[in-house]
Amino acid sequence: MLRLEGVSKSYGKIAALRDVSLRLPAGTLAAVAGEDGAGKTTLLKCVIGLAKTNSGLIFFEGAPVSDGFVGLRRAAGFMPEKFSLYPDLTVSETLDFAADIHGLTLSVRRERKEKLLRRMALAGFEKRRAGALSGGMRQKLALMAAMIHEPRLLVLDEPTEGLDPLSRIEILRMLTELKAEGRTILFSTTNIEEAEAADAFFYLVNGRLRLSGSVLDLKRAFGLSLENICALEEGRERDPSRG
């Protein structure tokens, strides 16, 4: 479904991504992991079209993605790391706003809102302002806004950041359920333990893709835990003489 070939991105003299190539098949739950500043957010923004690459190509369903993600706009939903919805809008108004962006008819949006509210356990909170929600509920609302147009691809930047353990488990469970329904999901995380739930795993160090593959295959190949594999690659990136 999604393919990157030699993607690089710099901000001035700072190289955020360095010749990144990866493949993400349809129906996959994939984690992009790495320490802060590794390039995770930049990678997701390049995929979704919010950041322009300096070089390389991005393909979605076999077609090259042009600047502004014209071919991707209706097929993808994006959830940024920081809660970016209007805090003064209610839950219902927030979903209406997202539905307006995607041109959904009144009947379609009503049906999808009801479905999402039930799924995310936010039914009964329609009139509560977004700014008055708990952290976990705000993340659910942001996810609902990204899903209102039923995208085939979900791109989520650290969807569990700042959440309590129970809320994090709930969000990860929802992602697993969405994947089981056939959606393709690409999410970033600094938490290697969270990445264990993914089918595909990509690990960035200083903008370079150091690991790519299934979690199970990587563990078998290295004979180590995923956390120790990542620590090994961090060391190799900083000191190439180590391997």
Side-chain angles (χ1 to χ4, degrees):
M1 169 178 268
L2 183 69
R3 187 169 87 252
L4 277 65
E5 294 184 357
V7 170
S8 294
K9 170 66 179 176
S10 297
Y11 297 100
K13 295 182 179 180
I14 300 174
L17 294 176
R18 307 166 190 252
D19 193 28
V20 173
S21 297
L22 61 83
R23 291 174 180 267
L24 182 62
T28 299
L29 175 61
V32 179
E35 296 183 351
D36 289 336
K40 302 184 301 298
T41 294
T42 297
L43 176 63
L44 299 191
K45 285 185 175 180
C46 287
V47 166
I48 207 69
L50 296 180
K52 185 177 180 181
T53 61
N54 295 115
S55 61
L57 296 171
I58 299 176
F59 296 87
F60 178 70
E61 296 182 336
V65 177
S66 61
D67 294 339
F69 63 109
V70 175
L72 195 58
R73 185 185 298 271
R74 294 188 178 182
F78 178 62
M79 178 177 163
E81 177 186 0
K82 303 296 183 182
F83 184 76
S84 61
L85 304 178
Y86 294 104
D88 290 334
L89 293 184
T90 65
V91 169
S92 182
E93 290 168 341
T94 297
L95 295 178
D96 282 335
F97 179 73
D100 284 339
I101 291 175
H102 295 286
L104 302 184
T105 64
L106 290 176
S107 60
V108 169
R109 79 173 58 183
R110 185 181 303 113
E111 177 185 346
R112 292 185 183 177
K113 281 174 61 177
E114 291 177 356
K115 179 181 176 181
L116 287 169
L117 286 164
R118 289 194 304 270
R119 175 168 208 158
M120 301 292 181
L122 285 181
F125 292 91
E126 293 90 339
K127 295 183 179 180
R128 182 170 297 188
R129 290 192 305 170
L133 298 173
S134 67
M137 293 171 77
R138 284 198 300 271
Q139 290 297 79
K140 286 182 181 180
L141 179 58
L143 183 55
M144 291 163 65
M147 292 175 55
I148 192 71
H149 59 302
E150 296 190 346
R152 300 191 296 281
L153 171 67
L154 276 172
V155 179
L156 315 174
D157 194 2
E158 300 200 29
T160 64
E161 178 68 19
L163 299 185
D164 61 84
L166 289 178
S167 295
R168 287 166 59 186
I169 291 172
E170 191 172 8
I171 292 293
L172 290 172
R173 177 182 57 78
M174 289 178 183
L175 299 187
T176 301
E177 291 177 355
L178 291 169
K179 178 257 179 181
E181 295 172 3
R183 298 191 194 278
T184 306
I185 304 168
L186 180 64
F187 74 97
S188 65
T189 182
T190 58
N191 189 322
I192 303 301
E193 185 178 348
E194 290 182 358
E196 295 271 3
D199 305 311
F201 180 74
F202 307 110
Y203 193 72
L204 292 170
V205 183
N206 293 334
R208 291 188 176 88
L209 185 62
R210 297 289 311 196
L211 294 168
S212 177
S214 77
V215 173
L216 184 58
D217 287 346
L218 288 169
K219 286 181 176 180
R220 286 173 174 169
F222 284 83
L224 298 169
S225 69
L226 190 60
E227 185 174 1
N228 285 338
I229 295 170
C230 294
L232 178 64
E233 291 304 311
E234 289 279 348
R236 286 174 172 171
E237 173 66 22
R238 288 168 173 73
D239 183 5
S241 67
R242 294 174 58 179

